[in-house]
């Protein structure tokens, strides 16, 4: 078994990492309150979803175990973002089954019947899931520190002083403590994205979702964001990462899923899938990415 195949055990080794901001304490159990022992963090079976009668997800099967990093690649329009948004309940699942953090997303089984979640239940569920988008969406009038402290104060009800103290720890974790008092316009795109990651981490999520977090960045800023994500993986954070950064997926992912036409057409260990893709669509996609073309 090579290092890439070692999965979560590999992360135990990485915890010895001494880079600044790298946590050394063991991760809490991230399965979620309703999960049975051994249950994955994400368990998608035949997930279906569409917009206005147009089917976008056509039966997605996808599993993420605690502490694993699952990368998702695929052509534009194949449903990657839609699936990510289903994971945190931003889009409704219209068929199949999607369990995340031990809950059937959007429904609770009670008295032998499924009951739809209330907005309050959705909000409580989303608190455990950090999401980082292509666009950082920081509050322009607030400092980096206040952007990161905002959720813990307003959503978790933390005292402002405590929230700012914890926000500073998260900014340290992403290497931005020295920039804590700057506003977004005083930061580079890469730094703003790192603030967005710190903001998500400040909610102490059990699962982090990344939707092409480096796609909007100038090429020279991409690696500083990927480096932060490498650190999170080393800490044992459970992550689903939609990305066009094939090298990163190969290096950091425990698993790699290739989406096309709203299904996972190929799934496997990144080293194997990237070196020897089985499906014609995967081969064509990887060729176009490697040729520097925008995959269609
Ligand atoms: N809010 C929406 N309303 C209607 N159609 C949508 C909406 N969001 C996405 N779609 C459509 O769903 C399909 C899948 O989109 P999605 O963004 O999930 O693909 P993707 O694989 O993430 O693409 P990309 O790599 O370009 O981000 C596309 O055809 C898109 O036009």
């Amino acid at each position: 078994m090579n290092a890439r195949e070692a999965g979560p055990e590999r992360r135990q080794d990485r915890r010895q990492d001494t880079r600044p901001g790298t946590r050394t304490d063991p991760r809490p159990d991230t399965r979620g309150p309703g999960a049975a022992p051994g249950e994955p963090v994400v368990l998608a079976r035949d997930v279906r979803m569409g917009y206005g009668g147009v089917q976008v997800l056509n039966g997605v099967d996808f599993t993420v175990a605690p502490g694993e990093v699952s990368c998702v690649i695929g052509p534009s329009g194949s449903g990657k973002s839609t699936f990510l948004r289903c994971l945190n309940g931003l889009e409704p699942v219209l068929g199949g089954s999607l369990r995340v953090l031990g809950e059937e997303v959007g429904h609770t089984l009670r008295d032998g019947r499924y009951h739809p979640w209330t907005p309050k239940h959705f909000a409580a569920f989303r608190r455990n899931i950090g999401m980082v988008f292509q666009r950082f969406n920081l509050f322009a009038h607030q400092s980096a520190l206040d952007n990161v402290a905002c959720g813990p104060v307003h959503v978790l009800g933390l005292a402002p002083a405590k929230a700012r103290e914890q926000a500073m720890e998260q900014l340290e974790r992403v290497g931005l403590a020295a920039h804590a008092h700057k506003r977004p316009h005083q930061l580079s795109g890469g730094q703003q994205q790192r603030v967005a990651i710190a903001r998500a981490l400040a909610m102490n999520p059990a699962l982090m979702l990344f939707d092409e977090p480096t796609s909007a960045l100038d090429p020279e800023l991409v690696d500083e964001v990927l480096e932060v994500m490498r650190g999170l993986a080393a800490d044992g954070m459970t992550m689903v990462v939609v990305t066009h950064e094939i090298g990163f997926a190969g290096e950091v992912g425990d698993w790699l899923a290739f989406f096309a036409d709203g299904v996972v057409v190929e799934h496997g260990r990144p080293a194997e899938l990237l070196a020897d893709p089985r499906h014609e669509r995967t081969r064509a996609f990887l060729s176009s990415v490697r040729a520097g073309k925008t995959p269609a």
Side-chain angles (χ1 to χ4, degrees):
M1 183 162 61
N2 66 30
R4 197 166 283 140
E5 289 172 324
E9 297 112 55
R10 167 172 55 105
R11 305 207 193 300
Q12 296 288 346
D13 300 339
R14 286 204 211 139
R15 275 188 205 132
Q16 311 308 319
D17 201 327
T18 53
R19 278 171 299 170
T22 301
R23 289 169 45 139
T24 50
D25 52 324
R27 289 283 307 160
D29 187 339
T30 57
R31 284 172 297 139
E39 181 170 345
V41 176
V42 174
L43 183 60
R45 287 291 169 265
D46 195 28
V47 166
R48 289 161 189 277
M49 195 274 170
Y51 296 103
V54 179
Q55 199 73 14
V56 172
L57 301 181
N58 293 303
V60 174
D61 293 324
F62 192 86
T63 305
V64 187
E68 280 188 345
V69 177
S70 269
C71 292
V72 175
I73 59 172
S76 184
S78 58
K80 306 180 298 293
S81 298
T82 300
F83 179 65
L84 214 61
R85 289 165 63 81
C86 287
L87 292 181
N88 70 353
L90 284 173
E91 301 289 358
V93 172
L94 302 179
S97 165
L98 179 61
R99 286 184 70 79
V100 177
L101 297 170
E103 297 196 85
E104 187 75 30
V105 179
H107 296 86
T108 302
L109 187 60
R110 210 170 51 241
D111 309 325
R113 289 175 52 206
Y114 278 106
H115 298 264
W117 285 357
T118 60
K120 205 171 156 190
H121 194 138
F122 268 112
F125 171 74
R126 285 198 194 107
R127 251 175 246 165
N128 291 317
I129 302 175
M131 185 138 183
V132 176
F133 300 91
Q134 193 173 338
R135 300 266 161 214
F136 337 117
N137 300 323
L138 300 175
F139 292 123
H141 60 284
Q142 287 187 356
S143 67
L145 187 68
D146 286 337
N147 265 282
V148 177
C150 187
V153 170
H154 295 290
V155 180
L156 302 181
L158 230 60
K162 185 72 186 163
R164 286 165 71 90
E165 187 188 317
Q166 292 185 2
M168 189 54 107
E169 286 171 16
Q170 296 304 340
L171 285 172
E172 274 169 24
R173 196 172 176 190
V174 301
L176 286 177
H179 300 274
H181 300 290
K182 291 186 179 166
R183 292 192 182 184
H185 75 272
Q186 298 171 299
L187 300 171
S188 72
Q191 289 170 331
Q192 290 184 58
Q193 189 60 301
R194 285 151 65 195
V195 174
I197 294 172
R199 177 180 57 183
L201 293 172
M203 299 294 284
N204 196 22
L207 169 65
M208 284 284 287
L209 308 177
F210 292 86
D211 194 358
E212 298 189 26
T214 59
S215 294
L217 300 178
D218 292 337
E220 69 273 18
L221 302 178
V222 166
D223 205 54
E224 66 184 71
V225 172
L226 296 183
E227 186 56 21
V228 167
M229 294 168 67
R230 283 185 195 102
L232 297 182
D235 288 350
M237 177 65 78
T238 309
M239 295 159 52
V240 180
V241 184
V242 173
T243 183
H244 288 309
E245 297 291 335
I246 302 295
F248 173 83
E251 174 203 347
V252 176
D254 294 299
W255 296 99
L256 183 57
F258 176 71
F259 266 59
D261 299 330
V263 293
V264 176
V265 294
E266 193 163 353
H267 178 258
R269 295 296 187 187
E272 288 158 22
L273 195 148
L274 293 174
D276 185 21
R278 302 282 149 155
H279 199 283
E280 175 54 34
R281 296 288 303 269
T282 321
R283 280 198 288 276
F285 174 81
L286 289 174
S287 300
S288 71
V289 171
R290 285 171 178 144
K293 293 183 202 147
T294 307

